[in-house]
Amino acid sequence: MSRQESEHEAPVWSSLLVVNEVPPQGLDTTLEADSSVREKLASLNGLQSLAKVTAKLHAARRGKEGLHVTGEVRARATQVCVVTLEPFETEIVEPVDVEFEPARTPRPSRAEPERMSRRRRDSRPPVREDEEGMDDLDAPDEIVDGKVDLGAVASEFLTLGIDPYPRKPGVAFEEPKPEGA
């Protein structure tokens, strides 16, 4: 997720999908980022420019209330080579595969479990935590107010597809030889 989106501000690229409007056979969507969005995405991701960004996505219902979004994000970007410091064009292709579910109800405090019925407590899916005590990183993303923002999804996967150490094609880093060798 880009820096701006992680700070809970409005996403740079937004295209809301109402989950209840997705038909049983699913819904195919193509998003094209306009020049303003491409400029902001390039800036947020440390790129010189983004000439084109397209997301081809398929949204399918997952169970009664969930959604599964698959597809890919493609972009043509200008990056700076980490070896020569020269700009060069590159193609970014990043597969998208993300699941969404309605927001979970907050977990009761440890003092309240006896107030809940055993049936209700056992029917809730467990929240797994990793060794640092963080919630399960593979857990589905949340559906917010019955909607999923496909533009924000596309922005996130674009960011994931960017090479953090780009090299111009044919360029290799050669370690300098020690003096006197």
Side-chain angles (χ1 to χ4, degrees):
M1 185 174 290
S2 68
R3 180 180 65 239
Q4 180 184 23
E5 289 165 353
S6 68
E7 293 172 359
H8 302 293
E9 295 178 15
V12 169
W13 191 8
S14 185
S15 179
L16 295 177
L17 174 66
V18 178
V19 174
N20 287 336
E21 293 178 3
V22 175
Q25 70 274 15
L27 181 69
D28 290 319
T29 304
T30 300
L31 305 176
E32 289 274 342
D34 64 25
S35 62
S36 163
V37 168
R38 290 192 316 267
E39 194 174 297
K40 291 174 186 171
L41 288 171
S43 175
L44 286 170
N45 287 293
L47 302 171
Q48 262 198 341
S49 68
L50 274 166
K52 184 174 185 166
V53 181
T54 304
K56 291 187 178 186
L57 305 171
H58 178 77
R61 297 301 296 263
R62 182 176 165 267
K64 191 174 182 180
E65 299 176 320
L67 193 70
H68 187 198
V69 177
T70 57
E72 72 179 12
V73 175
R74 290 182 165 268
R76 190 169 49 247
T78 302
Q79 292 186 278
V80 176
C81 176
V82 296
V83 177
T84 66
L85 301 179
E86 297 173 334
F88 70 100
E89 277 199 11
T90 186
E91 292 290 322
I92 298 167
V93 179
E94 185 68 19
V96 174
D97 189 346
V98 63
E99 295 181 355
F100 294 89
E101 287 185 355
R104 296 184 206 172
T105 55
R107 295 169 81 179
S109 70
R110 293 194 186 269
E112 291 186 37
E114 296 310 313
R115 294 176 56 193
M116 295 176 58
S117 73
R118 178 171 294 285
R119 192 180 95 244
R120 198 168 141 221
R121 185 172 55 222
D122 292 343
S123 67
R124 215 182 27 218
V127 175
R128 295 183 313 179
E129 294 182 350
D130 66 8
E131 58 274 0
E132 285 87 28
M134 296 179 66
D135 286 350
D136 184 5
L137 300 177
D138 292 328
D141 287 2
E142 290 185 359
I143 295 171
V144 179
D145 298 327
K147 299 174 190 138
V148 168
D149 192 339
L150 295 179
V153 169
S155 297
E156 181 175 342
F157 279 87
L158 169 70
T159 299
L160 290 171
I162 295 171
D163 183 351
Y165 303 103
R167 284 192 213 160
K168 195 172 178 177
V171 172
F173 177 75
E174 294 182 24
E175 192 171 331
K177 294 185 169 98
E179 290 183 31

